[in-house]
Amino acid sequence: MDANTFPSELVEAQTAWYATYQELADTPPAHGTAIHRRRLQELSRRIAGHPYWQTAAGTPAARMALKELARTKAQS
């Protein structure tokens, strides 16, 4: 799937999800992880509820392609 077919705000939200997940993984529990967990929940809602998924292009394969694209962006 071409990366340009995803709305930019959807790619940004998924990329932020991966970055936040990494921050959560790197934060010791004693230093407070609630902010990261709340951020992950909010990003998950925005991603899952995005209107893109209601279009013909919003297939399970597209979800995987978005995740792969965002994971690559988050790691760079």
Side-chain angles (χ1 to χ4, degrees), residues 48-59 63:
H50 195 280
Y52 177 81
W53 304 120
Q54 301 305 314
T55 68
T59 64
R63 288 183 188 264

Side-chain angles (χ1 to χ4, degrees), residues 3 17 21 25 35 41 49 52-53 58 64 67 70:
W17 192 96
Y21 188 86
I35 192 166
Q41 289 175 335
Y52 177 81
W53 304 120
M64 292 308 300
K67 288 179 179 185

Side-chain angles (χ1 to χ4, degrees), residues 2-68:
D2 183 11
N4 296 327
T5 62
F6 294 114
S8 61
E9 68 275 7
L10 185 56
V11 174
E12 290 168 9
Q14 185 70 60
T15 303
W17 192 96
Y18 281 113
T20 304
Y21 188 86
Q22 188 59 53
E23 289 172 9
L24 176 61
D26 293 341
T27 302
H31 290 96
T33 58
I35 192 166
H36 298 305
R37 288 185 280 116
R38 282 192 296 271
R39 176 82 171 135
L40 283 174
Q41 289 175 335
E42 174 58 28
L43 288 166
S44 294
R45 280 191 293 274
R46 285 178 31 201
I47 294 163
H50 195 280
Y52 177 81
W53 304 120
Q54 301 305 314
T55 68
T59 64
R63 288 183 188 264
M64 292 308 300
L66 173 65
K67 288 179 179 185
E68 290 174 16

